Amino acid sequence: MKYPVQSVKRLLVLGGLAVAAVPVGGFGHAWAGKADDTLKLAFTKELQSIDAYYNSAREGTIMDQQIWDGLVYLNPLKGEFEGNLATSWAWLDDTTLEFKLRKGVKFHNGEAFDADDVVYTLDFVTNPDNKITVPQYVSWIKSTQKIDQYTVRILLNKPYPAALNLLATMIPMYPNEYYAKVGPSGMALHPVGTGPYAVTELDPGKHFVLKKYAGYHDGPKGQPSIGTIDVRTIPDVNTQIAEMFSGNLNFMWGVPSDQAEKLAAMKRFTVVNAPTMRVGYLVMDAAGRTGKDNPFTKLEVRQAVAHAIDREAIVKSLVKGSSKTINSACYPSQFGCEQDVTKYPYDPAKAKELLAKAGYPNGFTTDFYAYRDRPYAEAMLAYLNAVGIKANLKMLQFSALTDLRMKGEVPFSFQTWGSSSIDDVTAITSLFFTKGLEDYAQDDQVNAALGEGDTSVQPEKRKAAYSKALKRIADQAFWAPLFSYNANYVFTPDVAYQPTADELLRFYKMSWK
Amino acid sequence: MLNFVVKRLILAALVTSAVLLISFSLLYLAGDPAASIAGESASAADIQKIRELYGFDRPMLVQFFDWLWHALQGDFGQSYFFKMPVADLIADRMTVTLTLGVSGMLFALVTAVPLGVIAALRPNSMIDRFALFLSVMGQALPSFWFGLMMVVLFAVRLNWLPASGSETWMHFVMPTIVLGYYAMPAIMRLTRAGMLEVLGADYIRTARAKGAGPARVVVKHALRNAVVPVVSLAAVQMGFMLGGSIVVETVFALHGAGFLAWESISRNDLPTVQALILIFSCFYIAFTFLSDLLNAWIDPRIRIG
Amino acid sequence: MSTTQTATELPVETYLGQLCRRAFGHRGLMFGIVVLGVVIFAAIFAPLLSAHDPYQQDLLARMKPPFWMEGSDLAHPLGTDFLGRDYLARLLYGARISLFIGIVAASISCVIGTTLGVAAGYFGGRVDLVVTFLVNVRLAMPVVLVSLAVVAILGGSLNMVVGVLGLLLWDRFAVVMRASVMQVRGLEYVNAAKSIGCSTLRIVLSEIMPNIVNNLIVVMTLEMAHAILLEAALSFLGLGVQPPTPSWGLMISEGKQMLLFEPWMIAIPGACLFALVLAINLLGDGLRDITAPENRG
């Protein structure tokens, strides 16, 4: 049998050339969009359910903002709460919150909004039998009382400073009659809310079509501008970009910095970079949960890790955008995030010295876990290697890693946390340092200080308590805080939109130029 | 023949149950999916709550028989991720995968059979060599890489075809080619070999001697005899292809069962993964069964063995 | 006696000579041998062929293009990856990974498949039934899906991937070996060995194996190619070999990020992967052709 080697070679050469020479073509296109008043947008992740209480993804929170409303609204520019479904509210005491509701609001199906809807929704989601996916958002609620048709009271288990934050973004109000009839599975297929957009077409996980709700109340979100928003799930960023080029997409977000840079250089799309509340950090097993003799139980080792990594270089070359290095175990703008803490600048020589002092002159070997941003993790790997810490990278899915972390089997990991966009350290520091299953410091001093801050409603007292906790965390290098994240938004030139730091897309703020 | 069919059916049932047991114990190893259900911002206490609610703290055998009992009734449980019945979810996604599988197989047959026939008619000609070249290439081309290169060329550079999605037939062109190309070499080789064998047989020579034209000989006499093993091979390949569509669907973001499988694995959505392994296996078993029947029908000797 | 011995030795030599002649005349086989030789050479002498350490990153020199493109740097003839690591060095060390996976996974499969196949073919009866059943079960398990699930559960690493593939790819060995053994089982010299009371193991090893080793080698090459492709696919899907190991599949997966802007990043490792698998397949086909010319097709 004879093979046509000549043609094999020729084809290989040709194929290689063709592929290597292919740049991104410049081809004009009529944009689908402005002409038919339809903005096409892509999600990277499939949405579990459009019902806000039965999904835990950022995409879900985004959809929730368009279809439903909360009692209050957090203005992202001013950082202040404004009345939404409630027009005013007041703390009757540390654990009682009273709301006066807006009159004349109607759900997409015509049902009128009043106190019964609020009581029904909150009773439903706080009832453990209903197995909501995000019980942590409502676990602070003890009960809800109807005072009259337009007044409700929410009773708290204990003082909880982030209550209004959650009511604004994570706790939408559902129509009681409709929800009682169809339940979560019906809501997932035919969602009904009071929000600026109503769902007209829905293919679970894949495709959503939202139409402007003509009867939207005049609330703080303002009236929506674009008639139709078409959301598809396209898991791959490259595919999204390809669809942008072919004119089948108007808007993408969460674009990695390298691609965003290239797209910006082409000047065909608007590329906007905005900071986000997500921070990246290294967690080390100071408590010795993975074994009493593990190197991270030694303070010098933890400090060596912090000194070993060139965070500036990682931010400059990889993370890019508006990202900054951070030194404290929280996002700088968060309430209580003390900035005056011990800092660990890049200093490999000092790192080696510290390792030797801890009894590891030749370094050591450890497992290093991560669940996202593999390039960053790999870059850190090389820095650690340079001072003698040989880390074996283990990339896991988020859920798998969380599971391991809670079992106490993760000596060293690269974590990130977005604080659910809540501008308060309760959403991050208090979550990970209060001796829970995900706490690898298990430090009594930190725990006590945080407990003091979490149960007080006096700002000055809280600030002082958090400052104490964060200083101790930095001194002990329980975490090695790395950097804040940023997000890139890319859209066609006919779209006007101003992204916000809370990483929540607001379809109702988008318009055509 | 009936005896043979019954034997094969029993075998198929045994194989299915073995696959069932293996896939369940495999995924039981995965441990506790409570954390994945709870999602990114759940606390440890929340996760413990979910663990008890879903019954993950029960012994393995209890969970297995519970699952089996329901699976036999077509109930594969609830997807942890989508909170909807796995059966509905898969039924919804399967249409895309089956469309892709069928069109891929048609593409493979439509290109491979004529090439194989021509190659057999003109052994060692340019076309024969070209066919061989294609089949050798097909076996060595990594499908995900081939898919990506096609996206670069046809979707981005030339803008002829959409890069992803499954809305129109245009969306299926590239995935069909990538998936079909994978099944082509075997079919082409078998067609060629079968044709060569048949063309050398006595009755073809007789037909030729009787003055039947070349086209008539090829189509009516030779191809008809060479095609049955090809169809039977195609059935087996179809089973493999459905299993292989996981890579293709991921590259082209086709929302089919293969893509669902990959996503579900990353999301620790065990009921979905279990059901998908089972269903892909059943497809393979069913197609192999058909292929066996076909073979037995044309070659009575097999029925005895 | 002495005359018969020379008479049997002589044809053996001519057979080898014949093989060599056929091999040199077989262009596909030669192409396979040459390409595979180059890859093996590159894998062994990787440290000499590139001055760079494949793990050495340089964040300031990320994604430098290869030599034929504008803005390239001759210090990195094939450019650098997303962490500024030398692409050529990573390709060379990646050849080691691919070959390692191909050889080890195929060897594990070979041991399992051959044992099962030979047992089924030699003993027949119930043993054969059980082995056939196992092969059926194995074939019914979708390989990609199952290996993805296993790797996702047990964690990805080079050894894990090799192990999983080794445990999944034995079916063809079993099928081919079973058929081959059945063919030679009834031959005279096997019966002769049985009649003089040789042990089963001895008969299999010294009488049967030498007669079926040709087929074994052919299947071995096919499965090597198969394992290499599967590893690349798993690594591409993110559930295979873990970084920073320079696997070609992983390089494609990493390069995929920049698919639209830097297509060379996937074109280069993809072409290497393609060439290697092609070479191994051509080698296997060629070996089959020259050892058993009647089987070509």
Side-chain angles (χ1 to χ4, degrees), chain C residues 40-200:
Chain C
I40 292 174
F41 179 83
I44 294 174
F45 297 103
L48 300 177
L49 293 172
S50 169
H52 294 278
D53 173 353
Y55 298 102
Q56 181 62 48
Q57 73 185 24
D58 178 1
L59 293 184
L60 296 176
R62 302 173 64 236
M63 298 190 281
K64 288 255 180 274
F67 67 87
W68 64 83
M69 284 168 69
E70 221 177 292
S72 61
D73 175 355
L74 277 184
H76 301 289
L78 288 183
T80 60
D81 74 356
F82 66 100
L83 289 177
R85 297 177 296 206
D86 186 65
Y87 229 50
L88 177 62
R90 288 185 74 71
L91 273 183
L92 294 171
Y93 283 86
R96 291 182 174 183
I97 307 288
S98 281
L99 288 174
F100 173 78
I101 285 178
I103 292 167
V104 178
S107 303
I108 297 175
S109 297
C110 179
V111 172
I112 301 174
T114 308
T115 310
L116 290 174
V118 169
Y122 187 81
F123 296 113
R126 285 199 184 154
V127 180
D128 187 25
L129 272 181
V130 171
V131 170
T132 314
F133 176 72
L134 286 179
V135 170
N136 272 314
V137 172
R138 170 26 228 114
L139 283 173
M141 314 265 297
V143 179
V144 179
L145 186 48
V146 171
S147 27
L148 277 177
V150 173
V151 174
I153 292 164
L154 300 176
S157 72
L158 187 55
N159 293 340
M160 179 61 69
V161 172
V162 167
V164 169
L165 292 181
L167 291 177
L168 279 171
L169 300 181
W170 50 265
D171 52 286
R172 208 186 320 220
F173 285 103
V175 170
V176 172
M177 287 300 103
R178 174 178 170 272
S180 310
V181 171
M182 280 182 163
Q183 271 178 8
V184 297
R185 180 173 62 174
L187 294 183
E188 274 173 41
Y189 56 87
V190 177
N191 286 331
K194 267 188 202 163
S195 64
I196 58 166
C198 289
S199 72
T200 307

Side-chain angles (χ1 to χ4, degrees), chain A residues 224-254:
Chain A
S225 161
I226 292 175
T228 308
I229 309 278
D230 183 301
V231 181
R232 273 190 301 154
T233 305
I234 305 180
D236 186 79
V237 176
N238 285 298
T239 317
Q240 290 187 10
I241 297 176
E243 294 287 42
M244 290 285 289
F245 281 123
S246 52
N248 293 323
L249 207 58
N250 301 89
F251 196 106
M252 57 191 290
W253 55 291

Side-chain angles (χ1 to χ4, degrees), chain B residues 50-275:
Chain B
I50 285 168
R51 185 169 293 136
E52 283 156 19
L53 279 174
Y54 281 78
F56 297 132
D57 39 7
R58 296 172 302 164
M60 168 174 174
L61 274 181
V62 176
Q63 292 190 46
F64 175 65
F65 283 111
D66 187 41
W67 177 67
L68 186 65
W69 175 242
H70 288 102
L72 287 177
Q73 303 163 37
D75 170 13
F76 296 103
Q78 290 265 322
S79 155
Y80 296 157
F81 185 77
F82 286 107
K83 317 281 179 224
M84 61 189 270
V86 172
D88 294 0
L89 191 63
I90 294 179
D92 178 41
R93 304 296 172 97
M94 214 28 133
T95 43
V96 170
T97 302
L98 287 178
T99 313
L100 183 61
V102 169
S103 58
M105 183 45 77
L106 283 178
F107 171 78
L109 286 172
V110 162
T111 48
V113 170
L115 267 177
V117 169
I118 298 172
L121 288 177
R122 304 253 182 286
N124 283 323
S125 67
M126 274 305 286
I127 291 187
D128 187 17
R129 286 170 183 216
F130 174 69
L132 230 129
F133 172 78
L134 272 188
S135 86
V136 171
M137 290 284 161
Q139 282 172 333
L141 210 54
S143 55
F144 59 95
W145 186 64
F146 184 38
L148 289 177
M149 291 284 114
M150 283 186 77
V151 170
V152 170
L153 191 61
F154 294 109
V156 179
R157 179 104 171 106
L158 299 171
N159 199 22
W160 289 349
L161 294 164
S164 74
S166 53
E167 285 86 29
T168 67
W169 65 271
M170 298 271 281
H171 290 89
F172 282 93
V173 174
M174 287 197 285
T176 295
I177 294 174
V178 175
L179 190 64
Y181 196 65
Y182 179 72
M184 240 183 77
I187 295 176
M188 202 201 67
R189 286 184 176 209
L190 190 68
T191 312
R192 181 177 178 273
M195 282 298 287
L196 277 176
E197 195 182 315
V198 176
L199 284 173
D202 288 342
Y203 63 95
I204 297 290
R205 286 201 212 110
T206 317
R208 274 190 175 149
K210 277 185 179 169
R216 200 179 146 81
V217 171
V218 169
V219 174
K220 190 167 177 210
H221 298 278
L223 188 56
R224 205 173 58 180
N225 282 290
V227 91
V228 185
V230 171
V231 171
S232 133
L233 172 73
V236 177
Q237 287 275 336
M238 186 76 188
F240 276 124
M241 259 165 79
L242 290 177
S245 70
I246 182 166
V247 176
V248 177
E249 286 179 22
T250 308
V251 169
F252 292 100
L254 283 173
H255 289 274
F259 183 60
L260 178 68
W262 181 63
E263 291 268 271
S264 303
I265 287 173
S266 354
R267 294 190 290 237
N268 264 7
D269 191 351
L270 298 190
T272 315
V273 178
Q274 270 166 349

